[in-house]
Amino acid sequence: MMPDSTLPKNYDPSSVEQSWYRIWEERGFFAPAAGSKELGSYCIMIPPPNVTGSLHMGHAFQDTIMDALIRFHRMKGFKTLWQTGTDHAGIATQMVVERQLEAEGLTRKDLGRERFIQRVWDWKKSSGGTIVQQLRRMGASCDWTRERFTMDPDLSKAVREVFVRLYNEDLIYRGKRLVNWDPVLQTAVSDLEVQSEEESGFLWHIRYPLIDALDGEPSFLVVATTRPETLLGDTAVAVHPEDDRYRSLVGRQVILPLTGRTIPIIADTYVDPDFGSGCVKITPAHDFNDYEVGKRHHLPMINIFTGEAILNENAPQAYRGLDRYAGRKRLVADLEAAQFIEKIVPHKLMVPRGDRSKSVLEPYLTDQWFVRVAPLAQEAIAAVEEGRIRFVPQNWDKTYFEWMRHIEDWCISRQIWWGHRIPAWYGPDGYLFVCNCEEEVYELAAEHYGRPVSLTQDPDVLDTWFSSALWPFSTLGWPKQSSEMADFYPTQVLVTGFDIIFFWVARMIMFGLKFTNKVPFHTVYIHGLVRDSEGQKMSKSKGNVLDPLDLIDGIDLEALVKKRTRDLMQPHLAQAIENATRREFPDGIAAFGTDALRFTFASLATQGRDIKFDMGRIEGYRHFCNKLWNAARFVWMNTQELGYTVTDGQECTFSLADRWIRSRLQSVKKESAQALQEYRFNDAANGLYGFLWGNYCDWYLEVIKPVLYGPTVAMAEKNGARSTLLVVLEESLRLLHPLMPYITEELWQRMVPLTGRSTYHEGDSIMMAPWPEVEEVWQDEAAEVEMGQVMAFVTAVRTIRSQMNLPPGQPLEVLISGSVATRQRLERHTGWIFPLAKINSMTVLIGSPPPGCATGVIEDLRLFIPLANVLDLEAEEARLQKSIDRLAEFFGARPCRCCGQGREQTRRV
């Protein structure tokens, strides 16, 4: 698309963003191009967002980084693929559809498994692509023709293949172990789905009678617990082996209150002798630490709950059938009545809740499927130790090693219906068959039993992280040896947050090495969290969440208030959140556009650190877009509107300013490329910002006006200025494109035909244009030094004018003394200096400066501005004295830091 022949006066992001994205996608610019054989391929796998998800600030930040890398390497000439797709998000998606059914008065059990799964597929088809469209709004240049879903047939086949291979190698097994259990969802959940927050509770101190207490021995041991109902599953009381208070009691028995059971006293270093009484109840089936103690001491493991957290048949008759909290209430009452309670004290504790159901989770002993991970971890550790994979920042490898060297078996089964069903079947006698496909398993069963038999498939599905662990190679066609695998695997970099190093990054490394014999990626770039301007984590309960699309499109105050107070888990916070929102955004949020948002993220993206998202920054970068647009209009008016284009053979004379800005451009090219290659996105953004705003717009465009508009200036010099205007802007747009794709595309389309570049063709995109390479012929250190002195001189005069409150247009006389060489260089450029500094003379000082001069220093040169004729010195002296008196009154009340003298009364500054 060629833009029209005029450049609008103002930049309107909404008028260009979505139209350009549609063109990019329709014309297939995101698909891998041929690329350079020498450079090879460059591939990034998107961390697949949940199909139920919507874009949040973390996504927007992460996708800005990935898209910048992809666009940069595409322009560098690599065969580039940004593989996109979504995760089926087992629990989250099932909950969405179950809520729909609940509104209809139905449950999934009313539909049955097959009809329920079809209902989920129907929802996915109609409503499951929200975040995909939102990613497009961020300018994500993913190859959407290759979009994958973790439940796609090919990816599901890869999941079954991996499961069967691991099972056949005895790396997958089924066993009874302790897991995080959600009693509302009635399924095991991963650690990532556990949200632990401090809550107010109590600490119950309970007496456990000692059997056959001897003289001098206590009649009971006191244990403290935050969950008295789990007493019913206790199988020991533990003390520290070196605790002299209890050393003699180890091996003895106590009576478990209200049950009649006796349990042993054991010694274990797990116990903290300084906590409470130094005695700890051990409930192996309902506490992760106790579970490990129970295994070490071969204790019975008594599960007292059902999957709904109701007390089961292992509890005494009086408590069976009660919910865990109703059981707690009755149990505590009975303990008090029997005088087993010594005291109850308020206590703060960390309570684990499910991130989906918000219910309190239970450590629960149940049969699950597990991966024996330790054998896979050794090669994954070696890959990082040997540098085949590196973390950026490097310190995250310590986190990786710490977890990998203490890794535990991974629970991969979930008791839900939506997901990859475990490819395991049970025969009539419980014999287990694990196979890739249902047809084959019946053949194996018939061979095993000698006759056809009916089989029952395991009802569980696999943890979502299991299929996600295959993402880098399952999306490329594995287990087939596809051309995509040959071209793009291993991938180059994984961009992700630190919170899933364990759950996703480590597992991708282990599975990638196991099934492809190659690392899945060479670099792991770990980015920080996006926090609010005060450094607080964004959350609905705090009311400080920002929606990236609101920042792009804008939102009025009432809509923002409604959004922030909707669906709060703590409705009582709504009024406080509304008040805070009205104070912070009295006029709502203005529309900043995608480019300003992306550039804000990039400018804040220091390696590995959390970022404080400041609304002032995005507003400033919206102004930067306007500045860039206005600069382009200036160039447009002085080239296209005059019928000027850069053509070979035209006579050009390049001034100092031309040579300076072109030389500075070469440095920026090198620095920008190096910053992006080293994942220093803030350096790339800030370097380009400083060059375009500070050098090109504020200085070059001003310096060049006398050349462009001077009636006596030679045409060759005007041509040199116009050529430089166009070339520097066009190349700068290419440098800026990975961070600000929309405005750079819009302006590049208008500017590049005027540069006379023969490589340009109608319908091309800036994203397909080559990355600007350094041109040594334009590196000119002498020009940079000389122009730097001109700029320093003008700045010094402007500073004096500002400090002395001199009118901006007041002509000034300047006296200079010092280095002859510097003076002569400045004198060569009075045609620029005089109008920029608003001076009418620059004279060499002979002797001493006259009284009443303002002074400035430029390297080896001093300048003096006589003020007698331009300033009422007596009035200025009086004004300054008043300022001094006010400051003296304010600070004089504070003791001097050096001598301690001052007024008796002190004030806080």
Side-chain angles (χ1 to χ4, degrees):
M1 180 190 82
M2 275 299 297
D4 60 43
S5 60
T6 61
L7 192 59
K9 188 173 182 179
N10 298 310
Y11 175 56
D12 177 16
S14 64
S15 68
V16 301
E17 291 184 351
Q18 294 190 55
S19 59
W20 271 121
Y21 197 91
R22 184 168 56 253
I23 291 167
W24 291 337
E25 189 172 355
E26 287 174 354
R27 296 190 179 173
F29 289 142
F30 302 153
S36 165
K37 291 183 179 179
E38 293 76 19
L39 293 172
S41 299
Y42 185 89
C43 180
I44 295 179
M45 291 284 167
I46 196 171
N50 287 352
V51 71
T52 58
S54 59
L55 193 72
H56 57 62
M57 292 293 276
H59 289 133
F61 178 39
Q62 178 175 268
D63 293 329
T64 294
I65 291 171
M66 285 186 283
D67 194 48
L69 290 171
I70 285 292
R71 289 179 184 270
F72 169 64
H73 285 89
R74 185 185 288 125
M75 296 174 76
K76 288 287 284 185
F78 289 82
K79 185 177 182 180
T80 306
L81 170 65
W82 186 7
Q83 175 62 56
T84 188
T86 49
D87 190 280
H88 64 279
I91 293 175
T93 305
Q94 179 157 319
M95 286 185 67
V96 167
V97 178
E98 286 199 79
R99 288 195 190 103
Q100 291 181 342
L101 292 175
E102 185 179 356
E104 300 170 17
L106 298 171
T107 69
R108 62 184 167 105
K109 293 181 180 178
D110 293 330
L111 269 65
R113 185 165 193 149
E114 187 174 338
R115 288 176 60 202
F116 176 78
I117 291 174
Q118 184 56 52
R119 180 74 177 255
V120 179
W121 277 109
D122 291 342
W123 173 86
K124 192 262 180 186
K125 184 178 180 180
S126 62
S127 306
T130 298
I131 197 166
V132 168
Q133 297 306 318
Q134 292 171 333
L135 286 173
R136 287 176 164 90
R137 292 298 312 281
M138 284 298 299
S141 58
C142 310
D143 184 0
W144 297 107
T145 66
R146 292 186 46 80
E147 184 179 352
R148 299 290 184 262
F149 181 54
T150 49
M151 291 281 286
D152 284 345
D154 288 348
L155 275 68
S156 297
K157 181 179 180 180
V159 168
R160 293 192 298 272
E161 178 75 15
V162 166
F163 186 96
V164 171
R165 288 194 197 181
L166 291 175
Y167 179 82
N168 290 338
E169 294 182 37
D170 196 31
L171 292 174
I172 282 183
Y173 66 93
R174 183 168 172 81
K176 188 180 290 292
R177 294 188 59 178
L178 207 62
V179 297
N180 293 307
W181 184 266
D182 191 316
V184 172
L185 301 177
Q186 296 183 44
T187 181
V189 297
S190 74
D191 290 343
L192 191 63
E193 293 158 316
V194 179
Q195 293 181 338
S196 294
E197 295 186 2
E198 187 176 76
E199 299 183 17
S200 297
F202 295 94
L203 199 59
W204 286 267
H205 293 253
I206 304 173
R207 298 167 178 163
Y208 285 49
L210 180 65
I211 294 179
D212 299 329
L214 304 177
D215 292 340
E217 291 182 339
S219 59
F220 52 80
L221 299 184
V222 176
V223 300
T225 180
T226 59
R227 302 184 66 211
E229 66 278 10
T230 63
L231 169 153
L232 302 174
D234 285 359
T235 55
V237 170
V239 299
H240 194 278
E242 297 179 4
D243 192 335
D244 291 336
R245 294 172 296 176
Y246 307 112
R247 192 192 301 267
S248 63
L249 300 181
V250 174
R252 302 275 292 279
Q253 299 276 318
V254 293
I255 298 174
L256 186 62
L258 304 179
T259 68
R261 285 196 292 118
T262 60
I263 57 177
I265 301 171
I266 62 174
D268 196 281
T269 54
Y270 157 69
V271 179
D272 179 1
D274 297 325
F275 178 78
S277 64
C279 300
V280 178
K281 61 191 287 297
I282 303 299
T283 318
H286 295 286
D287 182 276
F288 287 103
N289 291 319
D290 292 3
Y291 178 75
E292 297 301 324
V293 173
K295 287 197 299 182
R296 287 196 291 272
H297 294 269
H298 308 290
L299 297 175
M301 298 192 181
I302 303 173
N303 183 3
I304 61 170
F305 289 127
T306 68
E308 295 89 350
I310 292 173
L311 288 159
N312 64 17
E313 67 279 0
N314 291 326
Q317 185 65 46
Y319 307 107
R320 292 176 190 171
L322 294 178
D323 166 82
R324 53 185 165 173
Y325 297 118
R328 173 186 294 181
K329 185 176 181 180
R330 179 177 295 183
L331 182 76
V332 168
D334 292 347
L335 288 170
E336 287 181 315
Q339 298 185 341
F340 285 119
I341 297 288
E342 181 162 291
K343 62 180 177 179
I344 303 173
V345 296
H347 181 70
K348 296 285 187 181
L349 69 158
M350 299 301 292
V351 177
R353 293 183 179 272
D355 70 336
R356 301 294 177 186
S357 68
K358 307 304 178 185
S359 65
V360 176
L361 301 180
E362 284 290 340
Y364 189 58
L365 192 64
T366 178
D367 287 312
Q368 300 287 340
W369 290 89
F370 294 89
V371 175
R372 216 181 303 274
V373 188
L376 302 174
Q378 297 309 309
E379 179 64 17
I381 291 171
V384 178
E385 288 178 330
E386 296 166 5
R388 286 179 281 157
I389 297 174
R390 69 185 182 106
F391 282 84
V392 177
Q394 187 178 354
N395 61 289
W396 285 110
D397 62 5
K398 297 180 179 63
T399 303
Y400 172 81
F401 289 139
E402 177 65 23
W403 189 69
M404 293 292 281
R405 288 168 179 158
H406 300 88
I407 199 164
E408 296 183 356
D409 289 358
W410 170 20
C411 176
I412 57 172
S413 47
R414 299 291 180 264
Q415 289 66 54
I416 58 176
W417 287 354
W418 172 246
H420 295 101
R421 194 164 180 181
I422 290 177
W425 288 261
Y426 301 93
D429 57 356
Y431 188 86
L432 181 63
F433 299 90
V434 172
C435 196
N436 267 329
C437 63
E438 192 167 352
E439 293 79 5
E440 185 179 345
V441 76
Y442 278 95
E443 293 177 6
L444 291 174
E447 183 179 338
H448 174 80
Y449 288 106
R451 68 183 192 284
V453 295
S454 61
L455 301 174
T456 303
Q457 187 172 359
D458 193 296
D460 292 352
V461 300
L462 287 165
D463 176 14
T464 299
W465 293 103
F466 189 91
S467 53
S468 296
L470 319 184
W471 186 253
F473 53 91
S474 65
T475 52
L476 296 176
W478 187 92
K480 295 179 181 177
Q481 291 304 310
S482 64
S483 59
E484 289 88 348
M485 279 289 290
D487 281 346
F488 298 112
Y489 192 88
T491 66
Q492 272 59 49
V493 60
L494 175 75
V495 178
T496 188
F498 64 86
D499 53 335
I500 54 175
I501 291 176
F502 312 137
F503 302 96
W504 192 45
V505 178
R507 290 165 180 169
M508 282 191 290
I509 295 173
M510 289 188 286
F511 279 22
L513 289 166
K514 173 67 177 175
F515 294 102
T516 71
N517 295 316
K518 297 178 182 177
V519 295
F521 29 73
H522 298 299
T523 301
V524 182
Y525 175 81
I526 302 293
H527 61 74
L529 295 176
V530 182
R531 299 180 178 272
D532 69 11
S533 59
E534 302 298 321
Q536 298 294 313
K537 187 175 181 180
M538 292 187 183
S539 69
K540 287 185 178 180
S541 62
K542 292 179 181 177
N544 60 350
V545 171
L546 290 171
D547 185 330
L549 296 185
D550 290 342
L551 295 170
I552 293 171
D553 298 328
I555 185 172
D556 64 50
L557 176 61
E558 298 307 320
L560 181 61
V561 168
K562 184 177 181 181
K563 176 181 284 191
R564 285 188 162 185
T565 55
R566 186 179 58 213
D567 302 328
L568 274 175
M569 295 303 297
Q570 302 98 332
H572 64 280
L573 298 176
Q575 189 60 57
I577 290 173
E578 177 178 346
N579 294 341
T581 301
R582 292 184 182 279
R583 285 195 302 271
E584 186 177 4
F585 301 104
D587 301 316
I589 296 176
F592 296 107
T594 302
D595 286 328
L597 176 60
R598 286 172 58 119
F599 202 78
T600 303
F601 283 134
S603 71
L604 295 170
T606 51
Q607 285 189 1
R609 297 180 184 175
D610 291 352
I611 70 171
K612 295 180 182 179
F613 192 88
D614 183 357
M615 293 297 294
R617 291 291 285 266
I618 190 172
E619 185 175 359
Y621 293 131
R622 179 65 174 86
H623 294 325
F624 178 49
C625 291
N626 290 334
K627 188 81 169 180
L628 188 62
W629 188 265
N630 290 331
R633 289 190 73 245
F634 177 85
V635 175
W636 184 265
M637 288 186 294
N638 285 281
T639 53
Q640 197 275 343
E641 290 186 4
L642 299 177
Y644 174 86
T645 58
V646 177
T647 57
D648 294 335
Q650 67 184 1
E651 184 180 0
C652 289
T653 299
F654 296 104
S655 67
L656 170 66
D658 297 329
R659 290 182 282 112
W660 163 72
I661 197 67
R662 286 178 182 254
S663 182
R664 283 289 301 119
L665 176 62
Q666 307 317 307
S667 298
V668 172
K669 290 178 187 179
K670 179 179 179 181
E671 292 160 4
S672 298
Q674 189 170 347
L676 290 174
Q677 287 165 346
E678 296 175 356
Y679 308 102
R680 294 183 287 107
F681 301 96
N682 61 315
D683 289 342
N686 295 330
L688 286 165
Y689 178 88
F691 173 74
L692 280 165
W693 190 306
N695 293 161
Y696 187 71
C697 294
D698 280 359
W699 282 103
Y700 181 72
L701 297 189
E702 293 302 315
V703 167
I704 214 66
K705 285 178 182 177
V707 176
L708 295 173
Y709 305 141
T712 61
V713 177
M715 184 56 67
E717 192 170 350
K718 290 180 182 289
N719 287 343
R722 290 173 180 146
S723 170
T724 302
L725 281 171
L726 282 168
V727 169
V728 174
L729 179 60
E730 189 273 333
E731 293 196 355
S732 296
L733 291 172
R734 282 188 275 152
L735 294 174
L736 192 58
H737 177 72
L739 304 180
M740 302 179 85
Y742 290 115
I743 191 171
T744 54
E745 180 74 274
E746 179 73 11
L747 294 177
W748 184 86
Q749 291 286 344
R750 298 172 184 272
M751 297 302 156
V752 74
L754 307 181
T755 64
R757 295 185 183 276
S758 60
T759 56
Y760 173 77
H761 300 286
E762 180 96 12
D764 280 354
S765 166
I766 189 174
M767 77 173 68
M768 310 306 290
W771 178 263
E773 299 297 338
V774 174
E775 299 170 273
E776 293 184 6
V777 68
W778 285 111
Q779 292 179 322
D780 193 334
E781 184 177 352
E784 293 198 43
V785 170
E786 188 165 345
M787 189 65 188
Q789 290 172 338
V790 171
M791 294 162 62
F793 183 91
V794 173
T795 301
V797 175
R798 288 174 172 175
T799 300
I800 291 171
R801 188 186 294 276
S802 173
Q803 291 173 343
M804 304 308 297
N805 290 321
L806 298 176
Q810 173 73 55
L812 301 175
E813 296 179 359
V814 178
L815 305 175
I816 57 176
S817 69
S819 167
V820 174
T822 302
R823 188 189 72 213
Q824 290 175 344
R825 281 195 289 268
L826 292 174
E827 288 173 344
R828 286 200 295 268
H829 306 296
T830 54
W832 295 334
I833 291 174
F834 280 28
L836 290 174
K838 299 293 192 300
I839 64 176
N840 55 16
S841 70
M842 185 170 66
T843 308
V844 177
L845 176 64
I846 305 297
S848 300
C853 282
T855 62
V857 179
I858 308 165
E859 298 179 5
D860 51 4
L861 192 76
R862 298 189 70 189
L863 62 90
F864 304 88
I865 299 179
L867 300 176
N869 297 326
V870 296
L871 188 67
D872 185 339
L873 296 180
E874 291 183 0
E876 180 64 14
E877 183 179 359
R879 185 185 69 82
L880 292 174
Q881 188 58 52
K882 286 182 180 179
S883 296
I884 292 170
D885 291 343
R886 283 196 300 270
L887 292 171
E889 180 182 357
F890 187 81
F891 288 103
R894 305 176 67 220
C896 174
R897 293 183 180 181
C898 299
C899 65
Q901 295 180 358
R903 298 182 184 178
E904 294 181 2
Q905 300 298 321
T906 61
R907 298 172 58 189
R908 173 173 292 185
V909 177

